[in-house]
Amino acid sequence: VIDEANQVGYLSSTGNNVTDLGSLVVYDRKSKSSRRFKDRSTQYNDVGDSIVIHGEDYTKKLLMPSDGIGLTPDGSKLYYSPLCNFDLFSVDTAALRDFSKSDKEVAATVKHIGQKPSNSDGMTMGSNGVLYFGGLT
């Protein structure tokens, strides 16, 4: 997701290896620097329910951390959700963009929004502030 006003890009990292359990990546174009924000909320934890697509159980195949992300129209909040469960979270982007803040300080701005009706992959937010989820089918 691109924040044009602040010249920042937000990406979800589903993990590169067994020790990387997932994170949010922030790239600041102006300073040409980046950071990874790791938190329990960016990783997969509990599986929300069985993930069955066209009769096949993908639950164990899709144990993925944060995947879908969406930015509010004013750029103040980034919404994200693990692929493998129904939890939806938000984090203050001002904290994410402040590279001097520790993960613990950024995590203090994380809010558990609630449960989505289903697992989802892609996520986007409309200019009207409505958050849309993509299906896994």
Side-chain angles (χ1 to χ4, degrees), residues 3-86:
D3 177 350
E4 290 184 48
N6 290 299
Q7 295 290 294
V8 172
Y10 301 97
L11 304 108
S12 58
S13 172
T14 57
N16 298 316
N17 56 53
V18 294
T19 61
D20 181 2
L21 301 177
S23 62
L24 296 174
V25 178
V26 183
Y27 175 72
D28 184 320
R29 184 174 177 260
K30 292 177 198 170
S31 67
K32 295 184 180 3
S33 59
S34 64
R35 76 169 300 165
R36 295 173 72 86
F37 167 61
K38 297 179 197 175
D39 179 61
R40 180 166 162 67
S41 66
T42 65
Q43 303 165 358
Y44 74 84
N45 298 302
D46 301 319
V47 175
D49 204 350
S50 295
I51 303 170
V52 179
I53 302 172
H54 300 294
E56 185 174 345
D57 189 338
Y58 284 85
T59 307
K60 291 186 180 175
K61 296 176 187 174
L62 295 175
L63 294 177
M64 302 282 258
S66 290
D67 192 35
I69 58 175
L71 186 65
T72 57
D74 66 1
S76 66
K77 300 267 188 223
L78 185 70
Y79 286 83
Y80 58 97
S81 180
L83 180 63
C84 64
N85 69 26
F86 301 161

Side-chain angles (χ1 to χ4, degrees), residues 118-137:
S118 178
N119 303 80
S120 62
D121 189 8
M123 186 185 306
T124 191
M125 184 163 292
S127 61
N128 59 356
V130 174
L131 189 61
Y132 297 93
F133 306 105
L136 292 178
T137 57

Side-chain angles (χ1 to χ4, degrees), residues 10 24 26 35 37 78 91-99 101 106 109:
Y10 301 97
L24 296 174
V26 183
R35 76 169 300 165
F37 167 61
L78 185 70
V91 63
D92 290 342
T93 55
L96 277 175
R97 290 192 316 268
D98 183 348
F99 290 7
K101 289 194 180 291
V106 175
T109 72

